[in-house]
Amino acid sequence: MDQSRADILASIAAEVRACKLCRLYQNTTNGVPGAGDPNAEIMFIGEGPGFHEDRQGLPFVGRSGDYLEKLLAMINLQRAQVFIANVVKHRPPENRDPLPDEMAACKPYLDKQVDVIDPLIIVTLGRFSMGRYFPGGKITQIHGKPKFDDRRAYYPLFHPAAVLRNPNLEKEMEADFKRLPEILAQVKALRAKSAPKPDSNQEPPPLPKQLSLF
Ligand code: URA
């Protein structure tokens, strides 16, 4: 039977909450699978849960989350209209960087979320999610430069926490963010162009009965 996107995401979330594939679940309060609209056009991928995210089991609910909401409001979006996830789904101790084996253990969950949501844009927040789609990329050089494939755009942005730490980045972050609607329109045009034309692979329709008599 066809499972709805929301059902599949809920079962991924249940797996994440029970996950012991790496050490990160130890000493955490909650797994943080990700949250938002299962049909979101834009999916944000951050790094990993922090203190508040661990407490609430929700992504980006601390100061970085407040800033992300402010950025979303600039383009008339609310967090419930996008999907927000992280590269690792349990909080690293003392908010340290996630380790390669931890990101590898968590990868199938994120891959599956991306497949199910099939977003038009994946926005990477910070260097760990950027590394998934822009290996070797330097955030100071590539932020705000989208990369397109035949399904979507990948859009690397600074991590909101980095901007809060360094207010000099605010102008660039906001300018990058304001380009999201334009990139969305580009991907929609791309998908419309590559969508198969109705009936293009089908036999021509049979002749009407009267004509086939001749
Ligand atoms: N920073 C992240 O990368 N993810 C969160 O969920 C919160 C803060």
Side-chain angles (χ1 to χ4, degrees), residues 72-189:
L72 283 168
M74 282 180 352
I75 53 169
N76 295 318
L77 284 177
Q78 295 180 348
R79 69 154 58 216
Q81 296 172 282
V82 300
F83 196 91
I84 306 176
N86 281 304
V87 169
V88 293
K89 314 232 183 252
H90 280 94
R91 182 191 180 201
E94 312 299 327
N95 296 344
R96 67 155 166 75
D97 289 349
L99 301 174
D101 69 311
E102 295 161 353
M103 289 190 279
C106 230
K107 185 173 181 292
Y109 298 126
L110 186 55
D111 288 345
K112 212 160 164 197
Q113 288 173 317
V114 170
D115 282 352
V116 173
I117 297 164
D118 190 20
L120 300 185
I121 307 182
I122 289 181
V123 179
T124 66
L125 298 172
R127 65 199 156 106
F128 292 101
S129 55
M130 181 185 71
R132 267 174 69 93
Y133 303 104
F134 300 86
K138 280 208 160 37
I139 189 69
T140 46
Q141 286 164 10
I142 69 167
H143 74 90
K145 295 184 182 156
K147 175 172 95 176
F148 295 84
D149 67 14
D150 55 352
R151 285 230 55 77
R152 66 178 60 98
Y154 303 88
Y155 194 44
L157 296 187
F158 292 118
H159 194 287
V163 183
L164 291 175
R165 276 195 306 271
N166 179 2
N168 290 333
L169 299 176
E170 213 170 289
K171 269 214 166 75
E172 283 172 284
M173 181 67 161
E174 293 183 5
D176 290 348
F177 221 89
K178 283 184 182 155
R179 286 193 59 209
L180 275 167
E182 159 205 332
I183 297 165
L184 206 52
Q186 279 177 277
V187 180
K188 283 182 183 170

Side-chain angles (χ1 to χ4, degrees), residues 32 45-51 53 58-65 84-88 125 159-161:
V32 183
I45 306 179
E47 182 176 316
F51 175 84
E53 290 77 20
L58 292 169
F60 281 94
V61 287
R63 280 186 68 222
S64 295
I84 306 176
N86 281 304
V87 169
V88 293
L125 298 172
H159 194 287

